[in-house]
Amino acid sequence: MQKQSSQYGYFDAEKREYVIDKPDTPMPWANYLGSPAYGAIISNNAGGYSFVKSGAAGRLIRYRFNEQDRPGRYIYFCEPKEETECDYWSASWQPVGKSLDGYKSICRHGTGYTLIEAEYKNIQSQVCYYVPQGAEYEVWKVKVTNKDTKARKISVIGFAEFTCESFYEQDQVNLQYTQFITRTYFKDKFILQTINENCLNAVNESRVETRIFGLSGAKVETYCGDRAAFLGKYRDYGNPVSVEKGKLDNTLNYNLNPCGALQTTIILQPGQTTEFSFLLGQKREAQAKELISRYEDAALPDREINELKKYWHGKLANLKVVTPDENFNNMINTWNAYQCFITFIWSRAASLIYCGQRNGYGYRDTVQDIQGIIHLDPVMALEKIKFMISAQVNHGGALPLVKYNHNPGHEDKPEDQTYRQGTGHPSYRADDALWLFPTVWKYVAETGNIALLDEVIPYADKGKDTLFNHLLKAIDFSLNHLGIHGLPAGLHADWNDCLRLGANGVSVFVALQLYYAFEIMIRFAKYKKDSKTEKNMEKLKQRFRKIIEVRCWDKDRFVRGITEKDVVVGKPGDPEASMWLNPQSWAVISGFADETRGKAVLDLVHKELNTKYGARLMAPSYRKHAFDGALALLFNPSTKENGGIFLQSQGWLILAEALLGRGSLALEYYLESCPAAQNSIADIRLQEPYVYSQFTESTDSPFEGRSHVHWLTGTASTVMVGCVEGILGLRPDIDGLRLSPAIPAQWKSFTMEKVFRNCKLNIKVNNPDGKESGCKKLTVNGTAMEGNYIPASILKTENEIILEM
Ligand code: GLC
């Protein structure tokens, strides 16, 4: 696809890159590098930060949040103009910010790497930032080419601003301490930063930390380890005094603020290219020497970058779709999928908005994140499922926050003061453990690994049980926490952080989740021939069906909850918050609403909640009529939970419409909030066109359409599920795969390549009659199937599947 001039960039589908060729994007547009061992966030202007394991406790380089996307991983070029002054620019457009008339910048965000190219006065540079697979350091691989007709002599300076210590908060606020525990040294090819170095030979070596910023493949001529000396008085990263001079003054830091800055000079003949790498990490001196010498091999970075591409592209290749909608393809094949992996790995901790401070996984967040990758990497999903199951408390509730150093069998729980103090979570949420049901179901259905249900897994606090019994206990937890009318209590909150319905107030969303949980347990129990559990679950399902019917339905809609004072939230005619999205979509997803009722409530959603950027979470926004526990009131109208377009909920709406077979509506909702489809309105949306955000401001806002909280959001997984299971209709169960696409009538055909239980499926869907769902005929390797179902047992290594709608 060719870029249009009004846009900042475009998708390169083949390379799986988003290409930004106009660097003055409305916000820093970021990418993620690394793995849980070492994470790095980088913007299209090289802003961002890095950390070892934890953004809170392992912060390596600084970033000033909510400011001008500074500092970052900067490489400066300086060319002498006269005796003392340089003309200088940076390898990324910022921080120097040359006029875009003479300076060209292209940033290619890819899977695990970011390549920033620049051209200024016939000097072309390409810097590829990446973290080698599994490594605990990062590489800035630089390639400079002289495109001039004469030789050029250029001074190159690499710069990284170290934190004074690893704890982000300490580094930012406890300056009377942190500024006096660190110093830097120059060691021939690198700057060495030490923290608490006296402890090395004395009290406690484990306190000592050392970081390095090194140069491989070129000779260091001058260096600087002190930020003040590097920048100069009253200067910024855009005009450091040392860059202006073209050389560093060899000052090292002793107290105050450290940095790593190294300078080398390159002389390039016309057409000549040179390559070298800057290296950054938390390494000891000896390790640094070894590392730097390893990267003297100029071919190493390219090999490593290729390995990264192979790793990521391999994972993403497990589902490839070609539909008539290019935006849909780009998101499902690459960017939504990549974002699902990023949320799966980094949870809600480190982005340019989340400052890294969360020290664990939110239970419901992560259990939902898992759903986004099951179809691409069930092995990775399984590991996390077991981990999350081991964070369930013995009485069935789930730890609201699971610490990174979670120790199954030995954890405190919300009942304990220590847990509350350590995590800031005062009590249980009503929904946390209930997310296990769709997640475990999706995993078992994708893989057929029903044996997982019998696997014994510890509880967070004490004891252990089979996974099947863990699930039964999750149901017990809900049954032991019922509020008025015998419905599940809202507890600290349900999925909606801003709904405090209380210990006796009740949540309709949770009631529908519980209803769905019974249904999934019935499926499992049937499979296990456990008729006692099956009957019991069926009985419970019918019991709750009656209560939900009587208490949760009002005239034409499902209400959202009932407070302890028996006030119904979300009834028709309420002056505010009279209509809520989630209970309508979940009535369909849970199977509670039949087709007729499902269509009726979703029609009402379309009428009352839909906007051009998606359906609002509820409407009208709270202003004057909120009940006591309605924390949404704290937000401006049409913002976040107060009537904003909460994007995570769009995924459920897409899924619900698709389950009802209404493909046009499913795609309508999809496109309203699809980042790629908003590529041309980046100045309204502000966020990366390749990444979902948490929410979009809605109709009450003077900035309708503006989106916020990029990357780390549950939107990634719910929309992915809405598309894969919903629109594309890939609906596996334990014995096979049901194919139920729900597409817009104008899609005449589409194809999917999917890896399913180690078999390759080449699926072609034909829709000559312009249907939105349904199956006229399905053949697998030439044989007609019964209905739209493919038994797993008939699959070969490679399969040709044709579905006629
Ligand atoms: C945020 C939270 C998530 C919550 C949602 C709705 O996305 O991370 O836990 O469910 O908001 O309030």
Side-chain angles (χ1 to χ4, degrees):
M1 188 171 74
Q2 271 306 303
K3 172 188 176 285
Q4 289 151 28
S5 58
S6 65
Q7 300 171 349
Y8 294 91
Y10 59 95
F11 292 86
D12 183 333
E14 206 174 307
K15 292 191 173 145
R16 298 190 190 270
E17 291 175 338
Y18 186 83
V19 188
I20 300 163
D21 53 6
K22 206 165 163 278
D24 55 343
T25 49
M27 296 281 279
W29 285 358
N31 195 14
Y32 279 76
L33 318 174
S35 72
Y38 185 101
I41 298 165
I42 183 164
S43 76
N44 56 313
N45 276 304
Y49 59 101
S50 311
F51 50 91
V52 179
K53 292 192 179 83
S54 155
R59 189 68 63 96
L60 203 68
I61 57 170
R62 286 201 180 128
Y63 184 73
R64 283 184 254 304
F65 291 91
N66 203 18
E67 299 262 339
Q68 303 291 326
D69 189 29
R70 283 167 195 210
R73 302 169 181 85
Y74 294 147
I75 292 168
Y76 300 91
F77 298 108
C78 338
E79 190 172 30
K81 241 200 267 174
E82 297 152 21
E83 278 288 281
T84 52
E85 216 190 317
C86 278
D87 184 17
Y88 61 91
W89 66 100
S90 39
S92 40
W93 176 54
Q94 293 294 328
V96 173
K98 281 284 176 193
S99 157
L100 291 173
D101 294 338
Y103 180 97
K104 219 171 83 194
S105 160
I106 296 179
C107 167
R108 294 176 167 269
H109 282 317
T111 49
Y113 66 92
T114 284
L115 175 65
I116 298 181
E117 303 174 356
E119 197 170 323
Y120 178 69
K121 293 197 172 155
N122 291 324
I123 295 297
Q124 188 195 57
S125 60
Q126 293 178 308
V127 184
C128 190
Y129 296 93
Y130 71 98
V131 177
Q133 190 69 2
E136 292 176 29
Y137 59 88
E138 65 190 72
V139 184
W140 313 353
K141 193 241 158 163
V142 189
K143 185 171 170 187
V144 192
T145 305
N146 177 8
K147 297 180 91 181
D148 210 340
T149 47
K150 58 180 191 292
R152 302 279 290 268
K153 182 177 173 193
I154 291 165
S155 170
V156 184
I157 296 174
F159 168 83
E161 182 171 330
F162 293 123
T163 52
C164 285
E165 79 139 81
S166 295
F167 285 93
Y168 161 65
E169 204 171 351
Q170 288 290 304
D171 177 61
Q172 291 294 298
V173 302
N174 197 6
L175 305 186
Q176 62 81 31
Y177 166 70
T178 50
Q179 296 214 328
F180 310 106
I181 59 173
T182 182
R183 63 188 296 186
T184 53
Y185 297 89
F186 177 61
K187 302 278 174 180
D188 189 29
K189 300 214 94 177
F190 60 100
I191 293 281
L192 175 76
Q193 181 206 11
T194 63
I195 300 168
N196 300 130
E197 82 169 40
N198 298 337
C199 298
L200 193 55
N201 302 314
V203 258
N204 182 357
E205 194 192 327
S206 66
R207 282 194 76 91
V208 183
E209 271 167 17
T210 61
R211 284 94 168 261
I212 59 116
F213 182 70
L215 176 63
S216 257
K219 183 174 174 300
V220 177
E221 283 164 15
T222 60
Y223 58 86
C224 180
D226 178 88
R227 188 185 75 183
F230 175 78
L231 290 177
K233 283 193 281 185
Y234 299 97
R235 283 168 181 264
D236 185 19
Y237 306 96
N239 62 350
V241 69
S242 33
V243 172
E244 205 171 86
K245 286 186 185 144
K247 63 175 196 242
L248 304 166
D249 68 356
N250 297 354
T251 304
L252 289 166
N253 139 274
Y254 186 93
N255 300 332
L256 301 179
N257 294 293
C259 72
L262 300 171
Q263 180 264 329
T264 188
T265 302
I266 53 177
I267 298 170
L268 293 173
Q269 299 307 317
Q272 198 187 348
T273 291
T274 184
E275 294 180 68
F276 47 91
S277 298
F278 290 101
L279 302 166
L280 170 68
Q282 182 156 300
K283 294 279 166 204
R284 292 286 200 235
E285 194 177 334
Q287 292 171 312
K289 285 188 178 143
E290 184 274 327
L291 197 64
I292 289 164
S293 72
R294 199 140 49 81
Y295 282 85
E296 297 291 337
D297 168 9
L300 178 59
D302 286 340
R303 283 205 302 274
E304 290 181 331
I305 294 163
N306 281 335
E307 253 174 55
L308 275 175
K309 288 184 189 167
K310 225 170 109 191
Y311 171 81
W312 280 111
H313 295 188
K315 278 189 193 304
L316 300 179
N318 289 329
L319 177 68
K320 182 177 178 220
V321 303
V322 183
T323 75
D325 194 299
E326 194 93 21
N327 294 322
F328 186 90
N329 301 344
N330 283 323
M331 294 303 291
I332 297 303
N333 291 336
T334 301
W335 285 98
N336 189 2
Y338 186 60
Q339 188 181 2
C340 283
F341 279 106
I342 297 300
T343 58
F344 177 90
I345 295 168
W346 299 112
S347 184
R348 305 294 176 270
S351 71
L352 299 184
I353 296 295
Y354 287 105
C355 308
Q357 280 303 76
R358 279 212 204 172
N359 56 355
Y361 301 99
Y363 202 90
R364 55 155 165 253
D365 292 345
T366 293
V367 175
Q368 290 173 82
D369 291 344
I370 296 169
Q371 293 181 18
I373 66 147
I374 287 173
H375 65 296
L376 298 174
D377 194 341
V379 176
M380 208 166 164
L382 176 61
E383 201 187 317
K384 213 41 152 298
I385 289 174
K386 291 188 197 170
F387 176 80
M388 294 311 286
I389 291 272
S390 81
Q392 190 189 12
V393 178
N394 200 300
H395 58 40
L399 295 178
L401 189 103
V402 189
K403 287 179 257 163
Y404 289 133
N405 58 2
H406 176 63
N407 186 7
H410 305 277
E411 286 294 342
D412 293 342
K413 44 192 194 300
E415 287 86 340
D416 305 317
Q417 176 81 9
T418 37
Y419 182 85
R420 297 201 288 270
Q421 269 166 358
T423 64
H425 282 272
S427 55
Y428 292 95
R429 289 183 296 224
D431 64 323
D432 277 328
L434 293 176
W435 291 105
L436 291 170
F437 294 88
T439 301
V440 172
W441 167 256
K442 284 179 207 311
Y443 169 79
V444 171
E446 180 72 31
T447 58
N449 177 10
I450 187 91
L452 173 66
L453 298 179
D454 298 321
E455 199 160 317
V456 175
I457 297 171
Y459 286 101
D461 51 340
K462 57 170 194 253
K464 53 187 181 184
D465 226 330
T466 61
L467 192 139
F468 187 73
N469 287 340
H470 272 269
L471 294 178
L472 287 176
K473 278 223 176 155
I475 288 180
D476 284 348
F477 181 83
S478 292
L479 297 179
N480 291 331
H481 291 85
L482 298 178
I484 57 172
H485 310 305
L487 284 160
L491 303 187
H492 184 67
D494 67 4
W495 168 84
N496 188 323
D497 278 328
C498 299
L499 266 187
R500 296 286 145 86
L501 294 157
N504 279 313
V506 294
S507 159
V508 176
F509 191 169
V510 175
L512 292 166
Q513 282 187 284
L514 184 61
Y515 185 83
Y516 191 37
F518 297 139
E519 165 59 27
I520 286 167
M521 287 316 281
I522 291 169
R523 289 181 209 165
F524 284 153
K526 266 195 189 134
Y527 219 86
K528 284 170 66 73
K529 302 201 174 28
D530 176 349
S531 59
K532 197 170 142 226
T533 305
E534 189 190 333
K535 270 192 208 129
N536 190 26
M537 291 296 129
E538 190 58 56
K539 224 168 84 195
L540 283 163
K541 193 174 156 195
Q542 293 319 321
R543 175 176 131 201
F544 277 87
R545 179 155 199 105
K546 273 191 207 129
I547 313 178
I548 295 172
E549 195 58 70
V550 175
R551 299 289 176 182
C552 307
W553 175 256
D554 195 334
K555 207 164 123 198
D556 54 358
R557 69 199 63 189
F558 291 93
V559 301
R560 182 62 178 82
I562 307 172
T563 71
E564 329 201 64
K565 294 179 187 146
D566 215 2
V567 175
V568 175
V569 178
K571 3 177 240 320
D574 280 352
E576 290 169 2
S578 58
M579 178 68 178
W580 292 71
L581 174 57
N582 292 336
Q584 322 310 326
S585 56
W586 269 83
V588 175
I589 294 169
S590 66
F592 185 90
D594 63 13
E595 193 182 328
T596 313
R597 196 193 227 174
K599 285 181 176 165
V601 289
L602 292 194
D603 284 345
L604 200 61
V605 162
H606 199 262
K607 183 165 156 248
E608 296 205 7
L609 298 178
N610 194 33
T611 74
K612 59 181 167 177
Y613 299 114
R616 301 173 67 183
L617 188 63
M618 56 83 153
S621 302
Y622 281 124
R623 289 181 168 90
K624 293 189 177 137
H625 299 276
F627 69 97
D628 278 354
L631 301 189
L633 185 66
L634 302 174
F635 297 122
N636 290 325
S638 280
T639 301
K640 289 185 66 119
E641 284 90 342
N642 195 14
I645 297 157
F646 215 93
L647 293 161
Q648 192 182 355
S649 295
Q650 308 307 298
W652 297 323
L653 180 55
I654 293 163
L655 178 62
E657 285 292 8
L659 291 173
L660 291 172
R662 303 203 293 188
S664 289
L665 278 163
L667 199 81
E668 179 183 327
Y669 287 121
Y670 177 79
L671 291 176
E672 281 169 0
S673 56
C674 169
Q678 300 185 345
N679 197 34
S680 57
I681 55 159
D683 285 315
I684 295 174
R685 185 173 181 271
L686 306 189
Q687 304 281 307
E688 295 92 339
Y690 46 94
V691 171
Y692 279 101
S693 318
Q694 185 198 66
F695 78 99
T696 301
E697 291 175 53
S698 178
T699 44
D700 300 308
S701 163
F703 299 99
E704 185 187 3
R706 189 164 60 176
S707 292
H708 302 269
V709 193
H710 67 166
W711 278 100
L712 302 184
T713 157
T715 314
S717 67
T718 60
V719 175
M720 181 54 91
V721 171
C723 292
V724 173
E725 199 176 315
I727 293 174
L728 298 171
L730 294 165
R731 300 183 196 160
D733 67 15
I734 299 165
D735 295 319
L737 176 67
R738 195 168 293 286
L739 272 187
S740 290
I743 57 172
Q746 66 273 18
W747 282 16
K748 292 291 175 233
S749 70
F750 71 97
T751 62
M752 299 186 267
E753 286 171 46
K754 176 174 167 58
V755 177
F756 181 63
R757 303 187 190 179
N758 297 321
C759 302
K760 177 84 190 292
L761 315 184
N762 300 319
I763 305 171
K764 173 117 211 254
V765 176
N766 294 320
N767 184 24
D769 302 333
K771 299 246 175 76
E772 292 195 22
S773 56
C775 166
K776 205 184 280 167
K777 191 173 160 203
L778 171 66
T779 59
V780 177
N781 302 320
T783 311
M785 297 290 106
E786 226 173 89
N788 61 353
Y789 191 73
I790 307 170
S793 55
I794 67 158
L795 290 174
K796 301 182 183 154
T797 319
E798 180 120 16
N799 304 274
E800 300 307 317
I801 298 171
I802 302 171
L803 180 113
E804 186 145 334
M805 291 179 68

